[in-house]
Amino acid sequence: QVQLVESGGGLVQAGGSLRLSCAASGSIFGINAMGWYRQAPGKQRVLVATITRGSSTNYADSVKGRFTISRDNAKNTVYLQMNSLKPEDTAVYYCNAGHYSGTYYPWDYWGQGTQVTVSS
């Protein structure tokens, strides 16, 4: 089992920044990638960014140049730095553990979610 705990969400004005954290614990040795998803009200959960064990990253087009995913292997923690936030970034953000092999395959390990609200 893998446990994921997110933190760092909140309310911010458009143009502002937030940093999300995701601390992983449990049976994490088989995980070779982590991802951040988000789900806006009434919409499907979508992949925002991924990072491999070797720190290769990928981003959704909607966040490229504004969001940065990173990891601290010593702390088993993944971060999502979000800059130049827009109202359309408002969503619940979820951390996920998975596998990357040309594309990201999410495993059924999710955090509890953290709310990000961007006011205009």
Side-chain angles (χ1 to χ4, degrees), residues 76-98:
N76 294 326
T77 299
V78 174
Y79 304 98
L80 186 67
Q81 177 67 43
M82 305 184 294
N83 299 329
S84 302
L85 282 162
K86 305 175 181 180
E88 51 264 44
D89 294 318
T90 295
V92 178
Y93 284 71
Y94 296 91
C95 179
N96 176 264

Side-chain angles (χ1 to χ4, degrees), residues 42-85:
K43 295 189 177 181
Q44 289 189 329
R45 193 173 297 186
V46 296
L47 183 61
V48 172
T50 63
I51 187 166
T52 68
R53 187 179 292 162
S55 295
S56 295
T57 59
N58 281 284
Y59 298 93
D61 288 343
S62 59
V63 306
K64 278 181 183 176
R66 300 188 299 121
F67 289 12
T68 302
I69 189 170
S70 62
R71 65 190 299 159
D72 184 335
N73 289 331
K75 296 181 178 180
N76 294 326
T77 299
V78 174
Y79 304 98
L80 186 67
Q81 177 67 43
M82 305 184 294
N83 299 329
S84 302
L85 282 162

